[in-house]
Amino acid sequence: AALRLAVGGGPTPPHRLHDAEAALLGAAPACLDWREWGVRIAAEVRAGEDPLASAAHRARVAGRALAHALAAL
């Protein structure tokens, strides 16, 4: 089985989340703490600054959004 995760948008070019992919591969989704995964994914996001939001905020939002989408699968 293969798992590919990527984030990006606006001024941030899409990039793969290799660490999250490796950690999630073979994991049982029902056993995962998706709030923790939002934080782990955010740590790997390379978001840029913009006038309305800091890079840290944009990374947190991306991490939470992707974790939420994964939890719904």
Side-chain angles (χ1 to χ4, degrees), residues 4-32:
R4 302 288 182 259
L5 301 174
V7 295
T12 303
H15 61 278
R16 295 265 306 274
L17 305 174
H18 296 284
D19 292 343
E21 290 173 355
L24 284 170
L25 193 60
C31 298
L32 296 174

